[in-house]
Amino acid sequence: MATIRDVSRESGLSTGTISKALSTPEKVSPKNLARVEAAIKKLNYKPNMLSQKFRKKTSNTIVVLVPDIANLFFAKVISGIETVAQKEGFSVLLGDTKDSIEREKEFVSMVETKLADGIINLRPYKDGDALLPKEGIISVNASSCENTPGATVRIDNVQASQKVVEYLISLGHKRIGVISGLADNPHTVDRLKGYKKALSNFDIEYDADLIVEGDFNYWSGLSAAETFTRMADIPTAVFCMNDQMAIAAMKGFTDKGLKVPDDMSVTGFDDMNVSRYCTPTLTTVAQPAEKIGEKSAELLFELLSGIKPKVTEHILPYEFVIRESTSAPK
Amino acid sequence: MATIRDVSRESGLSTGTISKALSTPEKVSPKNLARVEAAIKKLNYKPNMLSQKFRKKTSNTIVVLVPDIANLFFAKVISGIETVAQKEGFSVLLGDTKDSIEREKEFVSMVETKLADGIINLRPYKDGDALLPKEGIISVNASSCENTPGATVRIDNVQASQKVVEYLISLGHKRIGVISGLADNPHTVDRLKGYKKALSNFDIEYDADLIVEGDFNYWSGLSAAETFTRMADIPTAVFCMNDQMAIAAMKGFTDKGLKVPDDMSVTGFDDMNVSRYCTPTLTTVAQPAEKIGEKSAELLFELLSGIKPKVTEHILPYEFVIRESTSAPK
DNA sequence: CTGTTAGCGCCTTCAT
DNA sequence: ATGAAGGCGCTAACAG
């Protein structure tokens, strides 16, 4: 493998000149530039970026910490991050933690060992078991919840949930079930808060029996739907905390002979691509996943460049999308 | 930032000893080991991995080239890759090319510039515009098609497609439509081949009018379904080349008043999670996406370690899953 | 504009 | 088992 020294020898110029020819060609005479190029081509020289990074003490790499990359929402956020990172000349290291705190630690330590310059964390912040934010580690929390410390990008989960539930109420629903995420998940907490606000705004009493705990995966939505159908006083609508559970719930209700939306209105959260193509199409909250990724990356690069950003908590707009899965109760 | 030299000074030991204490502690006396540890803790020393990699001339990083990470199938493959990579102590750099050949080039050059040791390519190989395989660059093509050169991991697309179509024929269908991917996509080519084989096995004449071109995205499935409903002689079943188009097609048919599967059988390809929760549930080919990722990574690491693997073309088993979207024609 | 020089932080012989 | 010394490939002063 040819090194810069080989190019120097071949071209009869010093390594310093070669280096400059590569980084700031306008500061090298055209004649010499041509000689450098010729030598590079002849030797098929490729600069050793590892050496460059070492020398410059910067990896130009960020790590994206993600609980599970096979979750479409996260994948979209990452896509947004990638777009911005490439524009800035950064690489993104994938930190699929598979929900293991051990793996998460390893990835965090990558910035301590210079392998990465900063971190974007897609795992919602939870008091107590959070590795980030951490002193000396530049990070952004993407898709966070209320009261997340440090730099964050998110939508207003409380408000969005409230809006969904108030819409159901406006249709005439009074008994509205919830398929939640795990009870201690911060998104669950925020979205439940919005649900309660909506009820209280319209003087509907909160009934804890109407909250069925899921885990954001399909299966739990199906199972929760069955739970509802076994209730003595079945609700007329169900607010699901993500689209996956909502789609599975629609199936669960359909299987038990309930028509959606005639017998049961169902709403989701996220607006995955499939939600406008399933049957019936899903009323849901559209999260700007790619935008969240882009904004997070932009914020991280601001932080990385040393400027203190004016705003460190970005609350992005969401959209409430009404489709076929909701209607007035019979 | 403390360096190894600081630890050396603090502990009164040479840098060589510190280095050894970190890499092969069993070769350092317990007494000195303790002193090293004390010094490290006192100074909060973290080895500079950038320097380490530079010195060792290996990045311990692989790049995963993916046309679009917000595609669930790819995301799952990546998840499998990550699992194996972490076990091997490698990082994975995300190469979301967003279908741009320029970006792809950049990522490929990362191994030439030592930023990565090898590449796993999720883009199907197409004669003519393929950057990989390439001399001097260790790579594996994951989820490839027939006749892909170099190291590959895939399922037998032709056989799987044939099986699906023969199943439809066995149900009594004779006029079977296809919603394909883009015509020049290698997966389209392989799967169409299987479709034709099935027809010819059962002496059904191939009718090019029954092939409607899609692009593997939802929208094209919906649009193709509408095309079918406008045909004079509507088919009784449609073989879709992925689940996304199949789910959208089911919606398209339903919207036009056709019942699935009573009036129209629909099959997919991939078996995304949603396919067992949509309504009706989808008959499809289950690709072992995570396994494909794991196998690809294992193969790459074999290649990287310098051993010539006995097998460089891995054909993984798929599963044909029969669900509710198919039945005998009326 | 170009050449010289001195390291970046670490690992690895090679002695001891 | 430990220490001394050299150098990986590159960039960044600094001189000229």
Side-chain angles (χ1 to χ4, degrees), chain A residues 137-148:
Chain A
I137 295 189
I138 295 177
S139 69
V140 171
N141 193 305
S143 181
S144 51
C145 291
E146 285 193 335
N147 303 318
T148 300

Side-chain angles (χ1 to χ4, degrees), chain B residues 13-14 17 20 28-29 32 54-55 57:
Chain B
L13 267 15
S14 76
T17 304
K20 223 168 297 177
V28 171
S29 73
N32 284 342
F54 163 58
R55 179 57 231 259
K57 297 173 182 308

Side-chain angles (χ1 to χ4, degrees), chain A residues 152-157 159 286-296 313-319:
Chain A
T152 61
V153 178
R154 61 180 176 94
I155 67 161
D156 189 332
N157 283 279
Q159 192 194 81
Q287 286 211 65
E290 295 242 3
K291 274 267 163 36
I292 289 175
E294 290 168 19
K295 196 79 210 167
S296 304
E313 180 179 36
H314 288 271
I315 300 184
L316 267 33
Y318 57 87
E319 204 182 329

Side-chain angles (χ1 to χ4, degrees), chain B residues 158-190:
Chain B
V158 178
Q159 192 193 81
S161 304
Q162 182 182 342
K163 198 156 180 174
V164 171
V165 178
E166 289 185 350
Y167 171 71
L168 289 172
I169 294 172
S170 77
L171 287 176
H173 295 279
K174 292 196 158 42
R175 210 169 152 67
I176 301 171
V178 175
I179 303 181
S180 78
L182 289 173
D184 63 345
N185 182 297
H187 286 124
T188 302
V189 175
D190 275 17

Side-chain angles (χ1 to χ4, degrees), chain B residues 292-309:
Chain B
I292 288 175
E294 290 169 19
K295 196 78 210 168
S296 304
E298 285 162 11
L299 185 52
L300 184 69
F301 289 126
E302 268 187 78
L303 258 20
L304 245 25
S305 74
I307 322 166
K308 272 262 175 298

Side-chain angles (χ1 to χ4, degrees), chain A residues 50-158:
Chain A
L50 233 37
S51 171
Q52 232 170 274
K53 285 173 186 238
F54 163 58
R55 181 57 230 259
K56 293 200 174 173
K57 295 173 183 308
T58 168
S59 62
N60 269 40
T61 300
I62 62 177
V63 358
V64 178
L65 225 48
V66 46
D68 173 20
I69 200 198
N71 172 311
L72 203 49
F73 176 75
F74 291 138
K76 280 186 167 180
V77 176
I78 293 176
S79 179
I81 293 172
E82 253 272 355
T83 304
V84 176
Q86 284 200 24
K87 208 165 49 190
E88 299 279 335
F90 274 64
S91 307
V92 356
L93 259 178
L94 192 61
D96 191 348
T97 62
K98 297 179 161 70
D99 269 323
S100 146
I101 196 86
E102 274 318 309
R103 292 193 183 212
E104 196 171 331
K105 266 184 199 153
E106 285 171 33
F107 286 112
V108 170
S109 85
M110 282 187 167
V111 357
E112 297 178 317
T113 60
K114 310 286 184 203
L115 279 189
D117 301 328
I119 296 189
I120 295 179
N121 187 7
L122 301 200
R123 176 164 169 253
Y125 172 85
K126 200 161 61 187
D127 234 23
D129 75 337
L131 261 41
L132 296 168
K134 183 173 175 181
E135 177 79 30
I137 295 189
I138 295 177
S139 69
V140 171
N141 193 305
S143 181
S144 51
C145 291
E146 285 193 335
N147 303 318
T148 300
T152 61
V153 178
R154 61 180 176 94
I155 67 161
D156 189 332
N157 283 279
V158 177

Side-chain angles (χ1 to χ4, degrees), chain B residues 155 159-171 239 266-269 271 282-287 317-323 325-326:
Chain B
I155 67 162
Q159 192 193 81
S161 304
Q162 182 182 342
K163 198 156 180 174
V164 171
V165 178
E166 289 185 350
Y167 171 71
L168 289 172
I169 294 172
S170 77
L171 287 176
F239 164 56
V266 175
T267 66
F269 208 105
D271 195 25
L282 188 65
T283 295
T284 191
V285 173
Q287 287 211 65
Y318 57 86
E319 205 182 328
F320 178 49
V321 188
I322 297 171
R323 298 209 184 94
S325 66
T326 44

